[in-house]
Amino acid sequence: MDSYKISRRVRQFARRLTACAAFMLPLLAASEARADLIDQRNEMIAHFVDDMHADPLVADCAAHGNFVASTSTVIDHVDFPPAAFNSAHAAITPWNQPFDEGKQRVTVENVVTVEGQGIARNTQHEPYPLKFRCGYVGTQMLAFSWNDPVPALKPHKERSTKKGKGHHRGKSAIKHSTSRKKSSSKASAKH
């Protein structure tokens, strides 16, 4: 009987170990892929700074823009010509206010803008002129925007259904409903 308990425990341990391995393998693969992306991004920043004489913040913004644009359904990759990092196509502007009035209202110290060319997946299409905008506090990017050639889908508002009597909502509806009950009970008390 003791050997039965031991073999049962070994099987339970093996099942748990297998479940743990099945859980950990995708995490390990994801962390390796993330490390590869970070290495690629760092290499791109170094290339922009060392070979194209870009300011480190401009290079960081361009590398981030390249990554984001590569997730687009219409852009294959982004090219930054040699002039992309000169003052006519890239700028660091002191900001000290919210990045934008939308979802990214975070206050940033500097706004970096840089231009590039989005090379289309469809080889028959002209390159897309892209403008990346990044908000920084120190060297940390806190906000990002770009002129995506494929605008994000906006959630549509559901149409309100016609409300009949008795379908009131909110505090005023409750007050209205209770005041009707009180007045009808007073009227029935008078009869």
Side-chain angles (χ1 to χ4, degrees):
M1 211 190 283
D2 288 332
S3 64
Y4 176 72
K5 285 181 181 178
I6 292 173
S7 66
R8 192 173 113 208
R9 287 183 182 160
V10 169
R11 284 187 302 223
Q12 286 176 337
F13 177 73
R15 279 194 297 265
R16 288 180 183 155
L17 188 61
T18 303
C20 184
F23 176 74
M24 293 301 289
L25 285 176
L27 292 177
L28 290 173
S31 66
E32 287 179 22
R34 180 178 160 88
D36 288 344
L37 287 175
I38 291 171
D39 289 344
Q40 289 173 357
R41 185 170 190 263
N42 289 340
E43 288 172 10
M44 183 177 287
I45 291 170
H47 168 66
F48 292 156
V49 170
D50 297 339
D51 302 334
M52 300 177 86
H53 311 292
D55 181 275
L57 286 182
V58 173
D60 185 70
C61 185
H64 187 75
N66 181 65
F67 169 75
V68 172
S70 71
T71 64
S72 170
T73 57
V74 296
I75 296 175
D76 182 58
H77 66 280
V78 179
D79 276 345
F80 293 97
F85 300 110
N86 67 25
S87 61
H89 296 63
I92 300 174
T93 308
W95 203 250
N96 292 321
Q97 59 187 349
F99 181 74
D100 66 20
E101 296 302 317
K103 290 182 180 178
Q104 299 186 75
R105 285 183 225 134
V106 63
T107 299
V108 296
E109 295 173 349
N110 293 302
V111 170
V112 174
T113 54
V114 62
E115 297 175 10
Q117 294 292 316
I119 307 304
R121 291 182 192 271
N122 175 358
T123 56
Q124 302 301 315
H125 196 280
E126 294 289 319
Y128 297 98
L130 300 178
K131 195 173 266 189
F132 304 107
R133 187 171 175 259
C134 306
Y136 288 88
V137 171
T139 58
Q140 184 178 10
M141 184 188 309
L142 298 181
F144 175 82
S145 67
W146 69 304
N147 60 331
D148 189 350
V150 181
L153 296 175
K154 294 182 181 177
H156 60 81
K157 294 181 180 177
E158 291 186 28
R159 293 183 185 165
S160 60
T161 58
K162 291 185 179 180
K163 295 177 184 174
K165 291 184 179 179
H167 292 282
H168 301 284
R169 296 183 184 180
K171 290 181 180 179
S172 62
I174 293 169
K175 287 178 185 175
H176 180 71
S177 171
T178 55
S179 65
R180 267 193 284 159
K181 286 179 185 175
K182 286 179 183 177
S183 62
S184 64
S185 64
K186 286 180 184 178
S188 62
K190 288 181 182 178
H191 293 285

